[in-house]
Amino acid sequence: MSIKQLCFDAHTQLRDQHGIAVRRTHLYELLAALLGFNSHAALAADAVIGQVGQAWKFTSDDLARLSERCLALGYPTAESQRIAETITALAETHRLIAVDVKDLVKLVSGGADGWDVDNEEMPDDVGIVQASPCQDAPDLELDSPLLIDALEQLAAKDHADAHYALALLLQCEPPEERDGHWYRQQLAGRRLDGPEKEWADDYAAALAQFDQYGQHLAAAARLGRSDAALEWAELTGKKADFRHALSLAAPEDAARLLDLADRFGASTTVVPLLRQAALAGDVEAMRRLAEEIEPDPVEAWTWVHLAQLCGTDLTRMEAVYEDGSPADDDLPGNIFAVGGINVPDISVEQQAQSRREAARRYEAIRASER
């Protein structure tokens, strides 16, 4: 299923059942209007049409905007009403919704507290005329063929966010080489059936998915998404990809980049970014600097004291889960020990100096947050 097919169905229905000839390009415009945009071009710039899992009804404002668009395109009042009814019924039957691709990326990556379209960040000529329907939407169907098709069309225009959304949706580990025996037998011309064919087909599907994931991730990295570039460099382990990720990186990427840099003996290239992160309040960056990087013990203790002011005692050993959240005896999961770093002893005077500098940096962090 695709938007093209839906518009074709609407065109056929209006022609055959109601004798109304509507230009197919107008159907795209009218559907965009129903979904909250001034034009299809505005919708297609940074949004895609997907589907939600529950019944979906459009508001009276949506319907009024759709009717106005019909009239603006030159259709008589009576025809405009029939066209609007047909398009609305089609959209509600298929539970259509417009989703900003940046919000989709946040949703898929788990970073969305809500995935509204922020109208204030969009210039007036982009053309969204109301809060997007996704503001109060029920569950978005991430495996919707319609959503995937829309993302692929946008990605074909070198849209970095669309490529990254597809990469996140396809994200997977490469299939184990040892599991590919029957797949290789099939490639060699052996005729398979039963479980052997299923295993071969499953391995082929896993290979294809991993290949698609890599292609979209590489494209998003090439087009300038820093998170995609970092993930791609971690996947390939190539120095050129690391350098590209470093050129795009934000301070919050510093800790991951440092792990990657260790492979190439290039840790020093990440230190300036790590310091930026620490000065912005990133406690993990402070830990890495204090424990691994700073040659001056006074500076190392300054980061320890700054972390303390930010609420974390780096000298204390704590149990955490893989995501860094505190471990709970009542909850399952892999538990790791963090903290408890060793920093060389310094004098009382030097400790006082490091505490003063930590307090100064802490005030700078607080000031930047105001």
Side-chain angles (χ1 to χ4, degrees), residues 36-299:
F37 292 81
N38 281 339
S39 68
H40 181 258
L43 186 156
D46 289 297
V48 290
I49 298 177
Q51 295 171 284
V52 293
Q54 301 175 27
W56 182 250
K57 290 290 183 182
F58 290 92
T59 69
S60 57
D61 288 341
D62 298 328
L63 303 181
R65 187 175 55 253
L66 174 57
S67 295
E68 289 172 8
R69 187 69 170 132
C70 279
L71 293 170
L73 289 172
Y75 294 97
T77 301
E79 287 191 357
S80 291
Q81 181 177 353
R82 184 66 69 185
I83 293 168
E85 289 172 355
T86 300
I87 292 174
T88 302
L90 182 94
E92 289 183 345
T93 297
H94 293 280
R95 309 179 310 281
L96 302 185
I97 192 170
V99 187
D100 185 273
V101 182
K102 280 186 169 59
D103 292 325
L104 179 60
V105 167
K106 292 178 184 177
L107 178 69
V108 178
S109 62
D113 296 324
W115 38 292
D116 304 354
V117 171
D118 188 347
N119 301 334
E120 294 180 359
E121 293 182 357
M122 304 180 78
D124 292 339
D125 59 352
V126 167
I128 188 166
V129 294
Q130 65 160 26
S132 169
C134 71
Q135 180 174 352
D136 302 309
D139 53 312
L140 181 69
E141 293 186 345
L142 296 177
D143 60 349
S144 161
L146 190 149
L147 176 67
I148 301 300
D149 178 74
L151 283 171
E152 288 175 344
Q153 289 188 45
L154 196 55
K157 301 174 184 175
D158 272 352
H159 194 288
D161 296 332
H163 276 295
Y164 193 47
L166 286 165
L168 290 171
L169 289 170
L170 292 162
Q171 190 173 38
C172 60
E173 296 292 330
E176 296 286 344
E177 181 68 19
R178 60 180 173 77
D179 296 333
H181 170 75
W182 293 109
Y183 169 74
R184 291 187 289 274
Q185 290 290 309
Q186 186 168 257
L187 283 183
R190 181 171 176 178
R191 182 181 179 83
L192 303 177
D193 54 24
E196 291 83 4
K197 174 144 181 58
E198 289 182 14
W199 293 332
D201 291 345
D202 288 345
Y203 189 82
L207 277 179
Q209 179 175 337
F210 183 74
D211 182 60
Q212 287 182 305
Y213 158 61
Q215 288 181 34
H216 287 297
L217 186 62
R222 171 178 55 81
L223 293 167
R225 277 208 65 120
S226 60
D227 42 10
L230 179 53
E231 190 175 333
W232 177 243
E234 289 172 334
L235 185 65
T236 66
K238 293 181 178 179
K239 194 168 186 176
D241 293 326
F242 162 73
R243 287 197 297 266
H244 180 58
L246 181 61
S247 72
L248 297 172
E252 57 266 26
D253 300 324
R256 282 176 66 185
L257 270 171
L258 187 62
D259 291 333
L260 191 57
D262 286 341
R263 301 186 197 178
F264 310 111
S267 299
T268 56
T269 62
V270 184
V271 172
L273 197 66
L274 199 66
R275 287 204 173 99
Q276 286 182 49
L279 290 171
D282 186 329
V283 173
E284 174 59 18
M286 298 175 202
R287 184 188 71 77
R288 301 295 290 269
L289 286 164
E291 186 175 32
E292 305 171 24
I293 306 295
E294 296 292 0
D296 179 3
V298 176
E299 185 67 5

